Amino acid sequence: MLGLPKSTEFNKRIPKQKFYENIAVTPAMKKAFVEQIRIIYWRNKIAATTLNLAASEQVTEIEVFEVRLSAPDLDESVLRQIDREIPYHILFLLEYEGRYRAAIGYKEAAAGKTAFKVERYYYTDWLEESELPVHLDGLSLDAVYENFVRQIAGTALDSDESATLKESVE
């Protein structure tokens, strides 16, 4: 997907129950998982071990999850739940009836380096997979992640070239 190198391919199906069966979630959250999501695939793992990228202090891995939906709308709390459960940065590719929408949360380290807090999510429009404005760009994992956020957010972020990603998000 997204023309990412073969070395990053993971292609494992993740049972959606994994995100709600072992933790306390509200009945509404469980219902959202059951009704809104058909299948979740872990498509790619972008890391210093899978690509010739410099390891980074903030971003150690970027996971690419394809989430096949039952309807075009997905409750954002579902993305937040997945982000809480996975201690890495995640690029979501939402799929519905053959069209895709990229989504990514701007994540910052919270308690130590094992937990993250998602500030907000950014989305593309629904597009053909080949039209998604997401491509691998950068020499470090921090740079690749920042570029993914900027590519997906587009004009929603401050366009000041000298601004850090955090400043642009704020």
Side-chain angles (χ1 to χ4, degrees), residues 4 7 18 21 30 51 58 61 73 88 94 96 102 106 108 124 129 131 137 142 145 155 165:
L4 293 172
S7 61
K18 290 272 185 220
E21 69 183 4
K30 185 174 180 178
L51 278 177
Q58 299 296 320
E61 286 184 13
D73 297 318
Y88 300 110
L94 309 177
Y96 178 69
Y106 173 69
E108 287 187 332
T124 64
E129 182 189 348
E131 296 172 344
D137 188 16
D142 282 349
Y145 171 70
T155 57
L165 182 58

Side-chain angles (χ1 to χ4, degrees), residues 44-91:
N44 301 82
K45 174 181 170 176
I46 300 169
T49 57
T50 62
L51 278 177
N52 189 18
L53 289 174
S56 298
E57 197 167 308
Q58 299 296 320
V59 182
T60 56
E61 286 184 13
I62 303 168
E63 315 307 340
V64 179
F65 284 7
E66 178 185 357
V67 182
R68 295 192 179 169
L69 304 176
S70 303
D73 297 318
L74 177 65
D75 189 327
E76 196 171 273
S77 64
V78 171
L79 296 182
R80 286 189 189 283
Q81 184 64 39
I82 293 171
D83 260 325
R84 267 196 292 276
E85 296 301 309
I86 309 274
Y88 300 110
H89 294 75
I90 303 170
L91 167 61

Side-chain angles (χ1 to χ4, degrees), residues 134-151:
V134 182
H135 55 277
L136 198 59
D137 188 16
L139 298 176
S140 71
L141 286 163
D142 282 349
V144 169
Y145 171 70
E146 178 174 338
N147 286 321
F148 280 165
V149 173
R150 290 185 185 280
Q151 290 162 11

